[in-house]
């Protein structure tokens, strides 16, 4: 958000207070409408190719004391956010929870309350919590590749960081806020993003110089990726036209990591268009790879099997590619880790496996 | 390790093979002696102020088939390590586990096997696994402050990174290897290290510029700190005489984070002198702070109480400070989080709490 954009955020949250004020003026019980955030009200938007909320509405109304408290908390929270925007501060949800000690009867009673309120505000205003200056607890992911990021630091200085030449071997750490007022992308000499599940594999590709030899921007997903990581990749895809390839373990949980990068997650369905990149491709490890590369495996657990079966009916896995691969995995009853490629030596993944897969995906000529 | 130092590592692991070879030559059953790594053989070294192994020995012997396989695996592993040192590569334990697919009958049967073998080698040679080019899976912690680190990058170039002026707001990421051949400390203008448990609090101090206003080097511990984080701080303490202050939540698990930074952990008792910094001080949050600052609290769970009671007999918590604080906490039956200080606003921790605690610890004049 630029300063001007923050004005828009303030306008949007002011509208909430105006609505409640208006209700009072009309001698009506104050209410706020918002979409239901339950599984029954989530659908897969075929046009946008991401998860979205449907038309079912729910209402926060002061008719009940519970609803009245929710509205009161919302008022305090919007005030808190306006103060942060004004004083150029940010806070975690946990800090806000403790700050609510001073909100009298609007005090939050659990950290879950603060999360629910933040989601409410996101849904009502169509802004993201980053716009409200609310920070996540989790650390940002690491990046390595031929890309210059310009970050506006806490001292309001613009700093250009080359994600190979200006960083240590641990790479550039993505900050919590990756919106245009904080981060912009400058020179770049890469062909695609390779998003990697585990730190061990990220460090392997860095050590082997895969970013240098194959014009790749390596991004460490750290398991289920943080919002900032998904948003960082989404922006690179949109602004720089960079394809995203996802490289994970071969099990149902890793397939969901891919799906959340590509199509979004139920929890963040209201901001899918900001976070999800439908053009994302799955590189591997696929169940077919287990056979083709004769990889070391573990047996699927009952949980794994259940999860694979539920993916067969998940709208995000309806392509024939996924149908075939998931059925194959259920048949072979095996799973594998991306580091299992080390069976053939520490360089096999960068010298053989990844180049072969890139040819398969049409990203590299034979 | 410098190149010369790696020669010493190779010599040490060669001695293991020599011992086994010598046993064969003498028509003896090959054996390797090593200290027992059980709780009964761990004692608190009063002179060094860290955990150490005692004199009880255990033997890997080829008399049993299990022992023979262990010795065979050790031989393959030393060979693998020598190859890595020769080719300037490194690997995770997980990669080594998969590489052992090619070790014929010495194949590792679980990832726990590879961990045990790595510990064996550390204990026998008095080297660290970093010396063997074995990398951890976990990510390094983040650092922010007026310190210039010189890192030898994968391309063998020396790169100086100022941990405020050359990094984004997420800070400098500590690489997995922080030994002198990889990392050296150059200019520095800080008075102490403030080691912080949670990412939320680390980001708070960065946003509030506490590193700038109080000449502090901020280090994010990320819960129980990684080996590289502890080693990084230990080296700064030894080479630059920097005091370490630990700032965590107020609960028994956080006290253990302090203890592992100060005195080491049972799991890494054989390398305590490399990792532990006995001069480390605990800054807070203390049970007294909960009373003095009237902080929001949660009730202690049964697990918490059990853990506090066991700390009362833990040699690492025998100072009167800890005895008093732990007894106070057992009496009040409450715990608190470091972010609870936000009760008084987002700046309270940097404007009031930390300066007061620094005065208490004699690190700051009133």
């Amino acid at each position: 958000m630029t300063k001007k954009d923050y004005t828009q955020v303030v306008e949007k949250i002011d509208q909430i207070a105006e609505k409640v004020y208006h209700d009072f003026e009309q001698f009506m019980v104050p209410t706020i409408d918002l979409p239901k955030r339950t599984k029954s009200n989530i659908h897969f938007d075929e046009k946008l190719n991401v998860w979205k909320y449907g038309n079912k509405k729910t209402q926060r109304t002061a008719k009940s004391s519970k609803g009245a408290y929710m509205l009161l908390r919302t008022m305090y929270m919007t005030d808190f956010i306006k103060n942060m925007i004004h004083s150029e501060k940010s806070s975690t949800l946990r800090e806000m929870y403790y700050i609510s000690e001073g909100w009298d009867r609007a005090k939050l009673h659990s950290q879950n309350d603060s999360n629910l309120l933040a989601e409410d505000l996101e849904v009502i205003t169509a802004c993201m919590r980053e716009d409200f200056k609310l920070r996540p607890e989790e650390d940002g992911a690491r990046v390595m590749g031929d890309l210059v990021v310009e970050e506006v630091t806490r001292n309001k200085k613009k700093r250009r960081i080359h994600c190979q030449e200006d960083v240590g071997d641990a790479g550039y750490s993505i900050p919590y806020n990756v919106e245009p007022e904080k981060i912009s992308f400058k020179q770049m000499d890469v062909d695609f993003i390779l998003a990697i599940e585990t730190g061990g594999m990220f460090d392997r590709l860095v050590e082997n110089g895969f970013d240098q030899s194959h014009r790749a921007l390596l991004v460490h997903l750290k398991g289920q990726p943080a919002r900032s990581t998904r948003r960082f990749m989404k922006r690179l895809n949109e602004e720089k036209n960079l394809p995203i390839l996802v490289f994970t373990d071969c099990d149902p949980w890793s397939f969901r990591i891919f799906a959340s990068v590509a199509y979004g997650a139920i929890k963040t369905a209201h901001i899918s268009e900001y976070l999800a990149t439908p053009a994302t491709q799955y590189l591997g490890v696929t169940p077919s790879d287990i056979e083709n590369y004769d990889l070391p495996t573990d047996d699927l657990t009952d949980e794994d099997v259940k999860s694979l079966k539920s993916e067969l009916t998940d709208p995000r896995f309806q392509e024939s590619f996924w149908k075939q691969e998931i059925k194959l995995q259920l048949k072979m009853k095996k799973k594998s880790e991306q580091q299992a490629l080390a069976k053939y030596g520490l360089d096999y993944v960068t010298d053989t496996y990844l180049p072969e897969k890139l040819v398969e995906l049409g990203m590299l000529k034979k």
Side-chain angles (χ1 to χ4, degrees), chain A residues 200-210 247 338-355:
Chain A
M201 184 53 82
F202 177 85
D203 288 331
R204 161 66 41 231
L205 300 200
V206 169
E207 181 173 292
N208 289 8
F210 189 76
F247 178 26
Q338 51 181 183
Q339 293 191 57
L341 291 156
K343 172 185 176 186
Y344 303 108
L346 296 176
D347 296 338
Y348 186 79
V349 61
T350 47
D351 288 357
T352 306
Y353 177 79
L354 285 174

Side-chain angles (χ1 to χ4, degrees), chain A residues 283-297:
Chain A
L283 177 139
V285 176
T286 63
S288 300
D289 288 341
I290 293 183
E291 289 191 332
N292 296 339
Y293 292 91
D294 190 20
L295 296 179
T297 56

Side-chain angles (χ1 to χ4, degrees), chain A residues 130 136 138-142 174 176 193 195-198 219-234 244-248 253-265 267-268 275-277 280 316:
Chain A
E130 289 77 6
E138 61 213 277
D139 267 16
R142 300 182 288 141
I174 300 180
Y176 82 92
I193 295 172
I196 301 152
E197 179 174 356
T198 67
V219 175
H220 178 203
L221 293 178
K222 297 176 89 171
Q224 206 40 267
R227 294 162 61 114
S228 57
T229 310
R230 287 186 279 158
R231 180 75 180 134
F232 186 88
M233 296 194 294
K234 166 85 176 173
I244 303 174
L245 310 179
V246 171
F247 178 26
T248 66
W253 318 100
S254 300
F255 301 162
R256 283 182 193 182
I257 290 176
F258 159 75
S260 92
V261 173
Y263 307 120
K267 245 187 89 170
T268 50
L275 297 180
T277 314
T280 303
R316 300 177 297 176

Side-chain angles (χ1 to χ4, degrees), chain A residues 42-64:
Chain A
I42 293 212
H43 71 280
F44 193 70
D45 187 311
E46 303 282 349
K47 217 175 68 195
L48 292 171
N49 244 330
V50 295
W51 287 102
K52 299 288 286 176
Y53 288 120
N55 296 322
K56 289 184 199 161
K57 295 278 173 196
T58 184
Q59 205 173 43
R60 307 263 180 258
T61 162
K63 259 182 201 157
S64 72

Side-chain angles (χ1 to χ4, degrees), chain A residues 23 26 59 84 90-91 142 174 201 236 247 256 262 329 335 354:
Chain A
D23 286 346
Q26 305 286 312
Q59 205 173 43
M84 286 202 292
S90 62
S91 108
R142 300 182 288 141
I174 300 180
M201 184 53 82
L236 276 168
F247 178 26
R256 283 182 193 182
Q329 185 157 30
K335 59 183 175 183
L354 285 174

Side-chain angles (χ1 to χ4, degrees), chain A residues 96-112:
Chain A
M96 187 178 79
Y97 165 73
Y98 288 116
I99 277 180
S100 82
E101 293 265 330
W103 292 359
D104 199 24
R105 292 210 230 170
K107 185 182 170 214
L108 299 166
H109 290 295
S110 74
Q111 303 209 8
N112 193 38

Side-chain angles (χ1 to χ4, degrees), chain A residues 129 189 228:
Chain A
R129 64 187 64 186
D189 200 19
S228 57

